[in-house]
Amino acid sequence: MTLSDITILVKKIAIGFIIFLVPLLVIGGTIWFIYQLLNAHH
Amino acid sequence: MTAPAKVNAQIILRDSLISLLLYVAPIALMFLTFYITGSRPWLTTASEALPFRMPALVELVFQNLRTWGLPAIMVAVGIVEFSVGLYENKWTKNERVLDIVCFILPKIVVRPLIAYFGLKILPYVLPGAKDAFAWVPFWWAFAIMAVADDLTQYWYHRLHHQLPVLWRFHRTHHSAPYMGMAMASRQNIIYTVFFSQIYLTVALTYMGLGYAALFVGGIKSLITTGAHSSIKWDKPFYTYKALKPIGWVMERLISTPATHHAHHADTTDDGVGYYKGNFGNMFFIWDLIFGTGIITRQYPKAYGLKHYKEEEWYAQLLWPIFKSSKAGSELAANGPVVGDELPSVPEEEAVEHAVEPPPVSVVAAQI
């Protein structure tokens, strides 16, 4: 493995992490936020 | 950044913003329904039972799909494909070893990683989130999980085609000069280990959407397995008049052999193959929404990569840890990236191409 290979690997893992994290935050955040909103209302 | 790459980046950015709305859509619909009906499911204890009964045999297969269920189905379909000669003489020793190792290895490597992520990392990172969404009714959880899992895999897959830096991690899946069960799980191990949607599903399972995740996983496995099969089971839906309305809906909703085989074609120049699109795994509808698909109801004449050099199975499995010794291979040390790089077209032409209507609207409208 060369330095270039490690760079490609790091980029690959970073992109994969973003593809995982963004939907997790959006889905988890939306459910949590609206749930709090409805509960505060009642 | 070259002009075509810039246009491509803008399209990716636009589509990813649309995706955020798609992730939120089932959640917004769920709360809207609660608001209209006055329902408050979080005030009642969550039931761990499924809200319906399945026949015992179906339930058994679903419960064990991740262990022996799916491999048993894949092996059975593979035997049928092989016995009717669907692999012709293309399943060489090198391809055979690669397909079999790719079938077995993830089950040994990926499962412990997922277990570690679910049992050790998540409780440490999100200590208060365990079962936080367990109150979500089953069918709403099913909708949320189906979109979460499959849209995430769509993006993971699409970016491995559209970002040159990622292509070689996905190349192994496209190098097979045939379609069938034998190549359905054929991937570079690094592609498989870092599958984003697996970790998303585990995280949402930790948060309480596990039953629905199990169900989505089962249905998705069956659809993607069927889409990779060399048995053209969807053909009757395009041939018999009574089945055509079902076929019309089906080919737009889920991946079928026709649409997914097109993705594995060795060319996009014949109007049938389209390896630069048809990225959907369980749902094809993402390709319709983002304009990355074509529907032709035809099957490509040839599969694989025009520039395939029959690289050693270990190089295809473990690149960049192991390299190929084949001269000019993308997987060789200092090899060129030939695969799904952006076409080198003049700037004006590239911009014109980018604002063209999605190909699916042209082709599908004729059907």
Side-chain angles (χ1 to χ4, degrees):
Chain A
M1 286 244 286
T2 62
L3 185 63
S4 157
D5 293 332
I6 293 168
T7 309
I8 289 172
L9 258 176
V10 170
K11 281 183 183 172
K12 196 244 174 293
I13 294 167
I15 293 168
F17 185 67
I18 292 167
I19 301 172
F20 150 75
L21 193 64
V22 170
L24 180 66
L25 292 177
V26 168
I27 293 165
T30 306
I31 298 177
W32 178 85
F33 179 73
I34 304 179
Y35 168 81
Q36 295 295 331
L37 216 64
L38 286 179
N39 268 348
H41 223 62
H42 291 83
Chain B
M1 193 186 275
T2 61
K6 200 175 171 186
V7 171
N8 193 43
Q10 285 170 349
I11 294 170
I12 288 174
L13 181 66
R14 180 200 66 192
D15 290 352
S16 54
L17 291 175
I18 295 170
S19 296
L20 298 184
L21 295 177
L22 292 170
Y23 281 122
V24 168
I27 302 166
L29 271 175
M30 174 179 76
F31 279 111
L32 185 67
T33 308
F34 294 160
Y35 186 76
I36 292 168
T37 60
S39 163
R40 295 287 179 272
W42 50 86
L43 298 178
T44 54
T45 313
S47 166
E48 291 208 338
L50 289 171
F52 53 89
R53 285 192 67 81
M54 292 192 289
L57 181 66
V58 178
E59 196 166 356
L60 189 70
V61 171
F62 259 93
Q63 279 174 350
N64 296 288
L65 213 59
R66 291 288 166 92
T67 52
W68 57 264
L70 188 65
I73 292 169
M74 288 176 76
V75 167
V77 178
I79 289 169
V80 173
E81 289 174 339
F82 195 75
S83 59
V84 295
L86 290 170
Y87 293 103
E88 299 168 357
N89 56 356
K90 291 169 185 164
W91 211 33
T92 60
K93 189 183 172 192
N94 190 52
E95 306 300 337
R96 224 167 28 237
V97 173
L98 178 60
D99 289 348
I100 292 167
V101 173
C102 285
F103 183 72
I104 295 167
L105 195 63
K107 290 164 184 63
I108 301 166
V109 175
V110 178
R111 281 186 187 150
L113 266 175
I114 293 169
Y116 187 81
F117 178 70
L119 298 172
K120 295 282 179 190
I121 296 179
L122 284 174
Y124 180 75
V125 179
L126 300 166
K130 185 167 171 52
D131 292 331
F133 305 145
W135 54 266
V136 174
F138 177 83
W139 287 113
W140 284 114
F142 178 82
I144 293 165
M145 284 307 306
V147 172
D149 182 305
D150 201 55
L151 184 56
T152 302
Q153 187 169 357
Y154 168 87
W155 274 106
Y156 189 79
H157 184 199
R158 175 174 164 179
L159 292 183
H160 277 78
H161 280 271
Q162 295 189 332
L163 299 182
V165 72
L166 298 181
W167 161 247
R168 282 177 286 184
F169 291 104
H170 184 49
R171 182 185 183 277
T172 304
H173 189 59
H174 282 270
S175 65
Y178 46 84
M179 290 297 291
M181 286 308 92
M183 51 75 65
S185 50
R186 172 179 169 137
Q187 297 282 6
N188 177 293
I189 193 69
I190 293 165
Y191 182 93
T192 306
V193 164
F194 292 104
F195 249 143
S196 303
Q197 83 281 357
I198 294 179
Y199 297 95
L200 178 66
T201 297
V202 174
L204 292 173
T205 296
Y206 172 77
M207 293 175 177
L209 306 180
Y211 262 100
L214 194 71
F215 210 67
V216 168
I219 291 172
K220 184 179 172 182
S221 300
L222 295 178
I223 292 173
T224 52
T225 301
H228 280 98
S229 172
S230 56
I231 299 168
K232 292 157 185 164
W233 58 264
D234 56 335
K235 214 169 182 175
F237 291 94
Y238 317 137
T239 314
Y240 296 106
K241 201 177 172 186
L243 295 177
K244 279 185 180 178
I246 301 171
W248 192 92
V249 174
M250 183 183 74
E251 68 191 346
R252 281 159 179 77
L253 184 65
I254 63 167
S255 278
T256 61
T259 52
H260 202 68
H261 283 210
H263 176 68
H264 281 269
D266 70 350
T267 180
T268 59
D269 298 334
D270 60 0
V272 175
Y274 195 52
Y275 62 75
K276 287 184 181 294
N278 289 22
F279 301 122
N281 294 279
M282 173 166 63
F283 294 127
F284 188 75
I285 202 163
W286 311 130
D287 285 297
L288 291 182
I289 292 170
F290 301 120
T292 53
I294 66 164
I295 298 173
T296 66
R297 298 184 173 177
Q298 294 176 65
Y299 307 88
K301 287 190 177 67
Y303 301 103
L305 304 169
K306 291 269 192 208
H307 53 276
Y308 185 39
K309 299 201 178 299
E310 295 179 27
E311 288 87 353
E312 305 86 343
W313 66 268
Y314 55 84
Q316 296 203 56
L317 178 71
L318 293 159
W319 184 90
I321 301 163
F322 290 112
K323 305 279 172 46
S324 172
S325 61
K326 308 270 173 141
S329 164
E330 286 180 287
L331 305 183
N334 301 316
V337 183
V338 185
D340 237 2
E341 66 182 353
L342 292 164
S344 51
V345 291
E347 187 172 335
E348 281 176 25
E349 199 182 319
V351 174
E352 196 177 287
H353 179 75
V355 294
E356 272 178 5
V360 71
S361 62
V362 178
V363 184
Q366 297 166 358
I367 296 171

